[in-house]
Amino acid sequence: LLHGGSRWVKALLLASVFLGLFLGSQFFLFKESLSPTPRIPMALVYVPLALYYFYLISLAFITLPWKELLKKTWSCSIRNVQKTFPVFLFLIALLLGAGYGTFLLVTAGEQPFFIILSGLLVLVLLLTSKLWWIATLHEIVPAKENESLTKQI
């Protein structure tokens, strides 16, 4: 129970840190976009994606102790960016496409059954994409590091 409880504490802490960083960056960037020469910076798009990328990677290794969690997050996110970032972009595109399809169905508003079915599809896609993401990251981690990971689980 204690080991499982520490996972929840880590998840809550990571969510708080990344949510705080996200909200702080969005507030700062939004405030800048309200200047006399309003120009919405592209950072309003890139900062949340970068934060979500690091957040998802850190959640994939939530079972590890803090030191190893940070080391693996760094290893997967920076050193293996050529392997992890395309997978991340694919997942984002898939989720955005499904969300946009649901949005189109909601705005059309004709068939409630298809709207509910589409919403459930987005939910299932969100859950399975997280599982696929975790499995992919565990494959990217070198075999030596992966042995210590499987001992933790």
Side-chain angles (χ1 to χ4, degrees), residues 23-151:
L23 291 175
S25 66
Q26 292 304 296
F27 176 73
F28 174 74
L29 293 170
F30 184 71
K31 192 172 86 173
E32 290 294 318
S33 70
L34 294 177
S35 66
T37 56
R39 184 178 58 129
I40 298 177
M42 285 306 293
L44 281 174
V45 175
Y46 296 132
V47 169
L49 282 177
L51 289 173
Y52 190 58
Y53 174 70
F54 286 111
Y55 178 65
L56 283 181
I57 289 177
S58 64
L59 284 182
F61 301 111
I62 199 81
T63 59
L64 299 175
W66 278 108
K67 186 176 180 180
E68 287 183 49
L69 177 120
L70 295 174
K71 200 159 73 171
K72 293 231 193 265
T73 300
W74 174 261
S75 173
C76 274
S77 62
I78 302 298
R79 282 197 221 151
N80 294 321
V81 71
Q82 71 277 7
K83 296 176 185 174
T84 57
F85 199 67
V87 174
F88 174 72
L89 290 178
F90 175 73
L91 286 177
I92 292 297
L94 199 62
L95 292 172
L96 286 176
Y100 183 67
T102 302
F103 171 75
L104 289 178
L105 283 174
V106 167
T107 55
E110 293 181 17
Q111 298 290 333
F113 174 73
F114 289 121
I115 293 172
I116 293 170
L117 190 63
S118 176
L120 288 174
L121 176 67
V122 169
L123 182 64
V124 167
L125 188 60
L126 186 64
L127 294 174
T128 55
S129 69
K130 297 300 181 258
L131 292 173
W132 185 64
W133 173 255
I134 291 170
T136 303
L137 288 181
H138 285 249
E139 285 294 319
I140 290 172
V141 174
K144 180 182 172 189
E145 294 179 17
N146 212 4
E147 288 174 11
S148 68
L149 180 66
T150 53
K151 287 179 186 176

